[in-house]
Amino acid sequence: MHNKIKVCTLGLGYIGLPTSALIASHQIPVHGVDISQTVVDTINAGKIHIVEPDLDKTAANAVTSGFLKASTAPIAADTYLIVVPTPFKSGNHEPDISYIQAATEAILPLLKENDLYIIESTSPVGTTERMRDFIFSKRPELKGKIYIAYCPERVLPGNVIYELVHNDRVIGGIDEVSTKKAVAFYGQFVKGELHQTNARTAEMCKLTENSSRDVQIAFANELSLICDKAGIDVWELIRLANKHPRVNILQPGSGVGGHCIAVDPYFITAEFPMESQIIGKAREINNYKAFWCAQKIKNTIQEFELKHNRVPTVALMGLAFKPNIDDLRQSPAIYIAQKVLQEANDETYFIVEPNIDNHPYYKVTAVEEAVAKADIIAFLVAHNEFKQLVIGEDKIILDFCGVKKQ
Ligand code: SAJ
């Protein structure tokens, strides 16, 4: 057993757990905290509660070596990492930082001179300063005696363990000494470059990265709508436009999902509604794209009925929020499936998602069976399993994500 705990992580989710396991793998004792007893028990049993390649081994080793221990309550450490969710307030797109506030409140009595407090959670601009003010309002004797910084994560789900080590990081303290202290902390386990700035810039940087991707995808999605009307193959168009040395258009799809890109831009628009015109419009376009896909499927069903005098069978290919993962959270494909099935008449539907075995609401059909039986095949996600499919000439294909083009 290690008598001195060095790091206390608050939040053991998609980022908190891999980060804790990575730090522990460097023989730095980590005390991980989560509000869920099930999560805590799972981790202490050497198992994990999320799907992420290689995380199981890293986490299990960290637990068996004794460097990672999970609990529902924090204990005194030298460094506190806040890695809790920042959802929306109910009913609107305003960020809710109450989890960050609650996590901070939980460690307030434990804070002591020279401690380092870092927020990693995606946060609206000014959150770190607000937490600084909150901490010092309750513990005024610590003013100027602890270090406070913001350092967002940038890892791509599915490649978390590699990216945690190799991605560059942006680190912004509330003052220069805090920045330096946080840089020294991450330097122990990050191989990417550590870029120094202030807390507000670091907060905005995270929001900017994901908004930038959202805006670029919206551009591609807008082109797909224009091309559909103009009778142009958008995939060919983008491929050709990208031959220009300074053009790099992303790929259109059935919308933008996940818990980052479809969420973070609202952290900017909520606070700067007048200024964030393009960012706000991009969100609208990417949301609209999913609605448009659902309409397109419904129209195709109607046209089929009129032409063939019978109801068609329909295959909806993919439910995940992006290719080759099993994560269905905030997935445009789920939204499309719901919309289409809501108004289903007598059509028979085959729902396909090769990355999951079953779903609480939908019966999942095997790829080949669905393709063989369906009259209309709508590709919602460009999974690898769909790319090599040989599809009969008699089928109607709605390829929203370019599965047959990329
Ligand atoms: N998508 C498209 N067209 C594209 C690329 C993506 O429609 O050309 C769609 C995907 O299908 C998906 C959505 O966008 O629905 C988001 O997928 P993604 O792979 O772009 O990103 P995420 O949400 O998995 O992870 C992002 C990453 N951010 C950036 O690339 C700027 C990741 O680095 C962040 O760490 C993560 O958000 C996060 O946690 O914020």
Side-chain angles (χ1 to χ4, degrees):
M1 279 309 286
H2 310 276
N3 49 17
K4 186 147 198 271
I5 294 293
K6 295 268 189 206
V7 178
C8 182
T9 313
L10 287 102
L12 292 172
Y14 278 81
I15 304 299
L17 177 57
T19 304
S20 302
L22 174 67
I23 299 171
S25 74
H26 287 257
Q27 266 109 60
I28 302 168
V30 181
H31 180 88
V33 178
D34 202 283
I35 50 167
S36 158
Q37 186 67 52
T38 321
V39 167
V40 166
D41 294 343
T42 308
I43 294 168
N44 284 335
K47 301 199 184 87
I48 56 173
H49 60 291
I50 50 183
V51 180
E52 178 60 41
D54 300 330
L55 177 61
D56 49 352
K57 277 175 259 133
T58 317
N61 288 343
V63 171
T64 41
S65 66
F67 283 98
L68 173 61
K69 196 177 179 322
S71 165
T72 51
I75 59 173
D78 306 327
T79 299
Y80 296 91
L81 278 185
I82 311 292
V83 203
V84 293
T86 29
F88 292 132
K89 288 181 185 155
S90 62
N92 63 27
H93 282 137
E94 282 194 32
D96 172 5
I97 62 164
S98 63
Y99 292 128
I100 298 179
Q101 172 100 17
T104 307
E105 215 159 342
I107 59 153
L108 257 183
L110 306 170
L111 284 173
K112 59 185 183 319
E113 209 174 315
N114 279 328
D115 280 354
L116 172 62
Y117 163 97
I118 300 171
I119 304 176
E120 284 206 6
S121 312
T122 303
S123 307
V125 173
T127 303
T128 311
E129 291 170 351
R130 278 175 72 176
M131 288 306 113
R132 170 200 62 193
D133 296 345
F134 173 64
I135 292 169
F136 293 150
S137 73
K138 304 279 180 189
R139 300 283 311 272
E141 77 282 8
L142 291 176
K143 220 171 191 167
K145 296 196 174 133
I146 60 167
Y147 307 95
I148 297 177
Y150 183 76
C151 178
E153 58 75 23
R154 296 172 140 174
V155 293
L156 199 69
N159 199 24
V160 167
I161 294 290
Y162 177 86
E163 294 205 1
L164 266 181
V165 177
H166 294 94
N167 285 359
D168 283 15
R169 300 287 289 250
V170 172
I171 300 174
I174 52 157
D175 49 30
E176 231 167 273
V177 277
S178 294
T179 309
K180 297 262 182 294
K181 184 93 172 170
V183 165
F185 171 70
Y186 283 101
Q188 298 175 100
F189 55 92
V190 172
K191 289 192 181 139
E193 237 183 282
L194 304 172
H195 304 274
Q196 305 183 22
T197 181
N198 56 50
R200 291 176 82 79
T201 310
E203 289 161 347
M204 187 62 184
C205 192
K206 170 71 190 182
L207 305 180
T208 301
E209 290 160 15
N210 281 349
S211 299
S212 155
R213 198 155 164 85
D214 197 44
V215 168
Q216 291 180 57
I217 298 168
F219 183 71
N221 277 334
E222 182 162 295
L223 284 177
S224 74
L225 303 178
I226 296 167
C227 286
D228 186 71
K229 263 204 176 154
I232 294 168
D233 179 341
V234 69
W235 311 98
E236 186 192 6
L237 173 79
I238 291 174
R239 188 171 52 77
L240 295 174
N242 283 349
K243 297 288 178 201
H244 185 291
R246 284 172 296 282
V247 173
N248 188 12
I249 305 167
L250 291 178
Q251 302 299 308
S254 56
V256 168
H259 19 94
C260 308
I261 295 190
V263 173
D264 297 359
Y266 292 118
F267 285 28
I268 299 178
T269 57
E271 220 178 334
F272 308 99
M274 292 308 291
E275 294 78 11
S276 52
Q277 301 291 317
I278 293 180
I279 298 170
K281 199 72 198 169
R283 281 281 69 246
E284 280 177 34
I285 292 168
N286 287 334
N287 286 340
Y288 174 70
K289 183 65 195 283
F291 174 83
W292 184 89
C293 293
Q295 286 306 118
K296 193 93 183 160
I297 296 171
K298 288 193 260 179
N299 292 345
T300 309
I301 291 170
Q302 277 178 4
E303 281 161 20
F304 185 100
E305 273 194 69
L306 285 176
K307 192 166 168 203
H308 298 274
N309 221 4
R310 69 171 174 90
V311 288
T313 45
V314 183
L316 299 178
M317 308 293 283
L319 288 180
F321 88 81
K322 67 176 184 177
N324 309 319
I325 58 165
D326 66 348
D327 193 340
L328 312 187
R329 290 178 299 169
Q330 306 235 163
S331 171
I334 293 270
Y335 167 87
I336 294 167
Q338 274 167 354
K339 270 229 132 351
V340 171
L341 290 172
Q342 238 168 30
E343 290 166 36
N345 291 320
D346 297 324
E347 306 89 3
T348 303
Y349 289 91
F350 302 103
I351 312 273
V352 178
E353 179 42 75
N355 297 294
I356 60 171
D357 295 329
N358 45 52
H359 187 275
Y361 308 124
Y362 303 122
K363 178 178 173 286
V364 180
T365 304
V367 177
E368 289 74 17
E369 185 189 341
V371 168
K373 289 184 177 164
D375 299 307
I376 299 171
I377 302 169
F379 288 105
L380 309 181
V381 191
H383 288 314
N384 285 342
E385 288 85 348
F386 302 158
K387 292 195 172 153
Q388 305 305 327
L389 284 174
V390 182
I391 298 172
E393 299 266 305
D394 54 327
K395 312 271 183 183
I396 298 171
I397 298 176
L398 297 172
D399 189 357
F400 297 124
C401 48
V403 73
K404 294 287 177 202
K405 302 289 170 83
Q406 288 174 43

